[in-house]
Amino acid sequence: MKWIDYLRPFFPLALLLSFVVWVNYLESAAFDDGFSQAKAEGALALEKLRGDHQAQELERAKTAEASAKDAAKRLQQVQAQNDKLTVDLANQRRTYRKTTDQLIGEIARVNDLYRKALDAEPEPLPACVLTRGWVRVYDQATGAILPSPVDSSGAVTQSAESRAIEQLDSGIGSTALLAHHVRYAEQCKSTAAQLDALIDVVQGTP
């Protein structure tokens, strides 16, 4: 057959072209397989990333919920502690006031009579004269009035007239002085109790 002889020189070229087509087919198939595999792996990685993100968000939500519960619990504890503190302080103030009322009721009795000795007869209690100067120093010590002017050495500066005035009877006797001391002691105890309670709160002492 002459046409076969005619085409025979083209056989190597046809074979080469067939080989090229086959190689291209393999490469295309490999590319498609690789693309499909990469796409599948990418989808899996994306799904895993989404899962990890959701897990992290869930963990954050759980942590936030736990923190909120802890904060609410601590707030309840603080409120309960403050309520207890308020009740305790109120009870202490009532106790102090009861003691004050009791002591005030005894002032007249302890300022009525006295004995020079155990076997002596009771006598009227002598008047306790407190000078104006004595009362000024007493009040100044408690911060009730402003200090008197002092000189460079720290001594109180007084004229002869002011010294004479301070030697006068203040009109305040032992009864009034004792009553003031009893009430002032109640205030001091109440203030000390509040300060102790505040220190306990700051230090976290139950």
Side-chain angles (χ1 to χ4, degrees):
M1 296 183 179
K2 293 183 179 181
W3 61 273
I4 294 178
D5 294 335
Y6 177 77
L7 294 176
R8 184 171 296 164
F10 297 99
F11 284 168
L13 180 59
L15 183 61
L16 178 60
L17 290 175
S18 299
F19 178 75
V20 170
V21 171
W22 181 69
V23 169
N24 287 336
Y25 171 77
L26 291 179
E27 289 179 350
S28 177
F31 175 80
D32 291 340
D33 291 342
F35 177 78
S36 298
Q37 182 178 358
K39 184 177 180 180
E41 291 176 353
L44 289 175
L46 181 60
E47 189 64 26
K48 183 178 182 302
L49 183 61
R50 288 175 179 171
D52 292 343
H53 178 70
Q54 291 177 352
Q56 291 176 356
E57 290 298 320
L58 180 60
E59 186 65 26
R60 290 193 187 99
K62 290 181 178 179
T63 302
E65 182 181 5
S67 299
K69 289 182 178 179
D70 290 341
K73 183 178 180 181
R74 288 194 299 270
L75 179 59
Q76 290 177 349
Q77 291 174 344
V78 171
Q79 290 176 340
Q81 184 179 9
N82 291 339
D83 292 341
K84 182 179 182 300
L85 176 62
T86 301
V87 173
D88 291 344
L89 288 176
N91 291 335
Q92 285 182 331
R93 283 195 296 268
R94 282 192 290 269
T95 300
Y96 297 150
R97 177 51 55 89
K98 183 178 179 180
T99 301
T100 296
D101 293 341
Q102 176 186 347
L103 295 177
I104 290 293
E106 296 185 34
I107 290 178
R109 178 178 58 82
V110 299
N111 278 279
D112 183 14
L113 302 174
Y114 88 108
R115 296 173 186 265
K116 294 180 180 180
L118 187 60
D119 57 352
E121 291 296 324
E123 302 177 15
L125 190 68
C128 176
V129 178
L130 301 176
T131 65
R132 293 186 180 183
W134 191 98
V135 173
R136 177 187 60 78
V137 173
Y138 182 88
D139 287 342
Q140 184 174 330
T142 59
I145 60 174
L146 294 176
S148 298
V150 296
D151 58 21
S152 58
S153 65
V156 177
T157 57
Q158 289 184 328
S159 63
E161 181 181 1
S162 63
R163 283 196 298 271
I165 292 175
E166 286 206 331
Q167 292 170 353
L168 294 175
D169 186 353
S170 65
I172 297 175
S174 59
T175 299
L177 178 63
L178 187 54
H180 173 269
H181 175 70
V182 170
R183 293 190 177 93
Y184 186 70
E186 177 189 348
Q187 295 177 1
C188 292
K189 288 185 292 185
S190 180
T191 301
Q194 294 179 35
L195 181 58
D196 289 340
L198 178 60
I199 292 174
D200 290 341
V201 170
V202 172
Q203 294 180 345
T205 304

